[in-house]
Structure formats: C-alpha cells, structure tokens
Amino acid sequence: MENKEEVQAQEVEQTEEVSPKQKEVVVEAKNQNVNPDEFDWDAYEKNPLDVSNERKELEDLYGKTLSSISENEVIDGLVVAMNKREALINIGYKSEGVVNMNEFRYNTELKVGDSVEVFVESQEDKNGQLALSHKKARALRSWDRVNQALEQDEIIKGYIKCRTKGGMIVDVFGIEAFLPGSQIDVKPIRDYDIYVNKTMEFKVVKINHEFKNVVVSHKALIEAELEQQKKNIIAKLEKGQVLEGTVKNITSYGVFIDLGGVDGLIHITDLSWGRITHPEEIVQLDQKLNVVILDFDDDKKRIALGLKQLTPHPWDALDTNLNVGDKVKGKVVVMADYGAFVEIATGVEGLIHVSEMSWSQHLRSANEFLKVTDEVEAVILTLDRDERKMSLGMKQLKADPWEKIEESYPVESKHKANVRNFTNFGVFVEIEEGVDGLIHISDLSWTKKIKHPAEFTSIGAEIEVSVLEIDKDNRRLRLGHKQLEENPWDVFETLFQVDSIHEGTIIELADKGGIISLPYGVEGFCTPKHLVKEDGSPAKLEEKLDFKVIEFNKDAKKIIVSHARVFEDVQRAEDRAKRSSESKSNKKTAKKLVDNIEKTTLGDISALAALKDEMETSEKAKKESKAKAAPKAEAKKEETPEAKVEATEAKEEVTEAAPKAKATKEEAPKAEDEAKPEAESAE
C-alpha cells in the first residue's frame, strides 16, 4: 500500500512540472494504457497532434444523442439515481435534472430505472442545473389520466394524505380525491388512522367535472374476488348447517358474522336463551365462533344465523318436581305496563301480570311495583312445559283481605282511608291494600250541597269513613262520611220551623233563585220573587238579610225561605189590626149603613126613571114642532133653547147618577160583609 501511494505522489509531482498540453497527453496516455515515461515528448512538441477534426466529429455524434427540449414542456424521464432527498432524472438532455423526493411521496415503490413524467421549468438555472418538476407534470396531465382511468376501468395508485369527515383524502395524479369510509374495505373500518400515509391501489368510480371532484374506491378491487367466494359459499348453504364465522359488526339489534365473503345476522334474541340488553354481553369484535344457519331467503342474500341453538333449551332441563302452587325466586329482566318478566333460571321466564301483584282493584302500571334487576319471590299459577310458558303471582304470598272482610270491617265500624279517585257521583277510597270502597256524593255531608267531590276533599288525602254496606261477592264496600256524626236535620226541624225568621247571607245567585247561607252551616233556597226588598230593588250577592222559613222538608233536606214575606206579613198584620179596631167601634153604625144603602139605592132608581120619561117627552115635542107652519117659527125658536137646556141638564143628571148608583151597588155587599162579623162579635 505504501509503495503505491509513493508512486502516485511522484506521478503527481511530475505532472505538475509539465505544461497543460503535456498534462492532456499524459491523461490520454493513461487512458490508452501508455506509460508516460516512455512517451516521446520532444517529438510531440515539434509535431503537436491535430485533433480538431476528430473533436468536431465527436461533438456532432454527441449532439445527435441529445434530445431537443423546450421549457414549459412535459416529457418522460428515467430515474438514474436517487437518495432520501433527491432523484436524478435523465430526460436525454446534456445534463440530468434533480427532483425533490417529496414529489414522489405518493409512490413509495419508486426505484432506479423507473420512467416518470417531468415538467421542464428551466433548461439551466442560476447554478447551471436543469430544473425539472414531477408535481407540475402530474397536475397538467392528471385530469386526462383520471378520465382515462374511469373510462378504461384502470387500477391506479394513490397516496392517502389524511382523514376527513366520512372518509379519507387521497392524492391521485396530484389531484385530491375522496375515498369514502365504506369504500376502503369490505369490512367495517374501526380505525381510519392506520391507513394514513399509505399508498394503495384504487379505482376511479365517479368524477364531477363541474366541481372537479373525484371519488375513488379500494373496495371495488376486492369485491370481484369476494363475489366469487360468495357464490361458492352460497351454493353449499343448508338450513341447520354449522359454520365458523368472525364477528364483523355489532349493533343494538344483533351481530353480523363474516362467513368468508358472505355476511349473516344473528338477531339479539338468537344469541342466548336468556335475556340480554346488548349483544356485547355475549360476543366481541373479531371473535371467531360457530353458528348455525336458521334460514335464508330465495335469493340467498340474507342469511339468518343462530348461536343459542347450538346449546340445549333451558326448559328441557327445568326441574320436573316444579308444580303449580310452588314458590320460586327470580330476577326481573323485562318490565312492561301489563306486567314483569321474571327469570327463575337461565332462559326460563315467567310473567307476573299487574293484576297478580296486589289484591288492590286499581289497575296500575307494573312499574309502580317492580323494576328491572329486582329480586322477587312469587307463586307459580300456571305451568305449560309444552308451550314453555309460566305465569306467576305475588299477591298470593299474602292472605286475601276479603276472606275475612266482615270480621275486619263490620257494618257501622269506623276507619281511616286514602282518597284514590274521583267520579261525578262519589269518591273511591282505599282502606288497606285490596280493600276499596265508594263514598257516594250524598254521603259526604249532611248540610252542604256538593256538586263534585273535589269541592270536599282531594286525591291522596286521608278521610274518615263508616262502613254502610258490604258486598263480598263483588268485593265492594259502601262507605259514608257524614254518618260519623248525628243527623243535624233532627235538630234543624225544631230550629227552622215554618214562619221562623233567621239572618242569612246570599252566597249564590242564579236565574232560578239564590242559595242562602243560614246559621249552623245549613243552606236554604229562595226564589227570585222572594228576593225583592221592601223598596222594590232586588237583593244582591253577599248581602245579609232577614229570611222567613216558608217550607221545611226533612227528608229532602230542603229549606225554602223568603225575604219579601218578612215585610209583607208585617204590613198585612198592621192592616188587619186597623180594620179590626174600626169594626168594633162602628158596630151599630154599620148595620144602619146597610139599611140606608139599600134605601138610597131604590130612590136613585126611581129618579132615573122620571128623567127618562121627561127626555122622551121632549123628543116628541121636538119632532112635532118641525111639522108646524112658519109663523110659529119664532115662538119655536124661543122654546127650543129651553128644551135643549133641559135635555142637557137631564143628560148630565143621568150621567152623574149612573156611576153613583153603580158604586152604591158595589159598596152595599161589602158593607154587609163587614157589618156581619162586627154584629156577631158584638152579640
């Protein structure tokens, strides 16, 4: 090694002492394997070599090997060298171009010898370097290539840049294309991030030229293979066949199983004989398990699978000694308005109907008694092993309160109850669980007239009751509240006697009359004509007045009162007293008055008859005077006014006398009637 280095150093020193031309000769001699020491330098200096022609020929030959290129042109080049940062591209020009490796990020399999397209930015930059760009070349040709790939159904490569909503962004020929999540694989994708920064093969499935959008799919590449596998599997499907599959997806209603290109569904009810709330309690994603084919449609596109069918039915293993009437324990697994399903063993359930939860007659929701996961004890009411059905009861664990109802709640016994419900005719109450009764609206109060039970009590309130009647067959009690006190109407009968006067307040007014609040909490009724005051004005609401009892009905619990009668009866009493005092002092005068009235009446009649005769005589005279001659006209004229005056006076007398006579006739009987009792009292 040391000898070689010394020889090279000597050669360098000798080379430095010669002229540049000599150096060229030395280089050529080396290239031609000629020893420089044996070269005739003197002859060379006297006759130098003429190589200009050869050089020109060589330049022409070299120029023919170079391509003629122009700037802003897209041409194909060959990768001649590459490292982590740059790739050296030969485009047939006198120098190679350099392209940054970031522009080939989408193509991780790039290697020396690959052909790539580049864009000539400049034939020579400031550093004398050929400037090329692969990214710009792809952008110029990208839409043509994308359209060509769609038309010819070509498989292209793309680089997945990042995630986006609903899928991924893929760099295809320098264009950002969209890869939907459903088009990545035939299996549901749970983690999209594992595909980022990966280069994959795709097919262009859709192009929107208006918005420059491209949609690609990787799933389309593998569907063809899967379709063939699917046909092979479907051709061998049979009901009852057991196959191995992989859990592909889990939903709230079931599990999708991949059978090797064909998907089947295990419904949540076919996962386990027992009830489950979600399939994840039984299976997990990517879990391999055996399933049985339950059914498939005619096209065999939908396959129903089962998992629980691979194990025996729990009803077949149910204890044979279990009979109706036995007590069992279990857990509530499902709740409904009509009842609760209780699991007494895995896969064995019984129904407790809401009517079997309590002896109460009120139909309520089962949720008021139980909830899911509650541990309960019940009695078997029915058991059908063939139909695999069982009904249970909870109330049977307690004694029926109606069996000894007469002993627990005898007639006239007093108890406390809770108001459960209202109706227009009464109140339903519950004395204890299972023992209900009705208080009729008429049995709420002795004194108040109640239109609706809500005026008297409220739902949920406690009320004291008395048992009036027991109907054991229909499980009914007739109850009363007012019977807790003595009937006040026995006392009211002595207090509110007819014609007694009491102070009352008008608490309600209507067209038919008013309701009057009387002492001791009792109410009376007053008609409109009896609500008129002494001055003729009607009484008003909330006004306090005196009222007279004009009717009292104990059986109907009705009191009718009147305000008008109070002052009307006083006025009548005063008038009666006045007339009585006058009649006593004029007892004898009344008798004479009757006689005089009779006489006067007869005399007036005679005077009228005389007047009538005179009037008839004057009329006749008048008619006769018209028939007499003219000479007697003046005398007639003198007599006629007198006759007229007499006739006029006669008429006036008749007119005045007639009403007097009539009045006299009317007063005569009245006088007689008044005089008779006075005379009798005097005797």
Side-chain angles (χ1 to χ4, degrees), residues 33 210 252 481:
N33 296 323
E210 182 179 357
S252 59
H481 176 70

Side-chain angles (χ1 to χ4, degrees), residues 19-31 41 44:
S19 62
K21 288 184 178 181
Q22 290 176 337
K23 290 181 180 179
E24 292 179 2
V25 173
V26 172
V27 172
E28 288 183 8
K30 287 183 178 180
N31 291 334
W41 294 101
Y44 176 75

Side-chain angles (χ1 to χ4, degrees), residues 15-203:
T15 304
E16 289 176 353
E17 295 175 355
V18 299
S19 62
K21 288 184 178 181
Q22 290 176 337
K23 290 181 180 179
E24 292 179 2
V25 173
V26 172
V27 172
E28 288 183 8
K30 287 183 178 180
N31 291 334
Q32 295 177 6
N33 296 323
V34 178
N35 190 349
D37 295 335
E38 298 177 357
F39 188 75
D40 189 357
W41 294 101
D42 295 333
Y44 176 75
E45 289 179 356
K46 292 177 181 181
N47 297 310
L49 295 175
D50 186 7
V51 294
S52 58
N53 292 332
E54 294 180 4
R55 183 182 181 88
K56 187 176 181 181
E57 290 176 1
L58 291 173
E59 287 179 354
D60 291 340
L61 290 173
Y62 180 69
K64 291 179 182 180
T65 62
L66 299 176
S67 301
S68 59
I69 63 171
S70 59
E71 294 183 356
N72 300 326
E73 181 184 3
V74 177
I75 59 177
D76 291 330
L78 189 69
V79 180
V80 294
M82 57 186 293
N83 55 30
K84 293 182 179 180
R85 296 178 58 188
E86 296 173 336
L88 195 64
I89 309 298
N90 181 13
I91 61 172
Y93 194 54
K94 61 182 179 180
S95 63
E96 289 82 7
V98 177
V99 178
N100 195 308
M101 284 299 293
N102 286 334
E103 297 186 19
F104 296 100
R105 185 174 55 181
Y106 72 95
N107 187 3
T108 57
E109 298 177 359
L110 183 69
K111 61 184 181 299
V112 175
D114 287 351
S115 177
V116 296
E117 55 188 13
V118 291
F119 176 79
V120 180
E121 293 181 329
S122 175
Q123 293 183 1
E124 188 174 343
D125 60 8
K126 61 182 180 180
N127 297 322
Q129 187 75 38
L130 176 64
L132 303 176
S133 174
H134 177 64
K135 182 177 181 181
K136 290 182 179 180
R138 292 179 70 211
L140 290 173
R141 291 187 177 180
S142 58
W143 282 105
D144 294 335
R145 297 194 62 182
V146 166
N147 286 314
Q148 181 182 353
L150 177 63
E151 292 172 359
Q152 299 180 4
D153 197 25
E154 293 181 6
I155 298 175
I156 60 176
K157 288 186 177 182
Y159 175 75
I160 300 177
K161 297 173 65 176
C162 61
R163 282 189 60 180
T164 188
K165 184 178 180 181
M168 316 288 286
I169 298 297
V170 181
D171 185 351
V172 178
F173 304 133
I175 298 175
E176 288 189 348
F178 177 64
L179 173 63
S182 60
Q183 296 297 317
I184 298 176
D185 201 344
V186 291
K187 299 178 181 180
I189 304 300
R190 293 186 288 275
D191 185 9
Y192 288 87
D193 293 331
I194 61 174
Y195 293 95
V196 177
N197 297 327
K198 280 190 176 183
T199 300
M200 299 174 64
E201 291 183 338
F202 302 98
K203 275 189 176 183

Side-chain angles (χ1 to χ4, degrees), residues 582-597 671-672 674-676 678-679 682:
E582 289 177 354
S583 62
K584 287 181 181 179
S585 62
N586 298 321
K587 177 181 62 173
K588 294 181 180 180
T589 305
K591 189 174 182 181
K592 291 179 180 181
L593 181 62
V594 172
D595 296 338
N596 291 335
I597 288 172
E672 285 184 4
E674 291 178 358
K676 285 178 182 179
E678 291 174 359

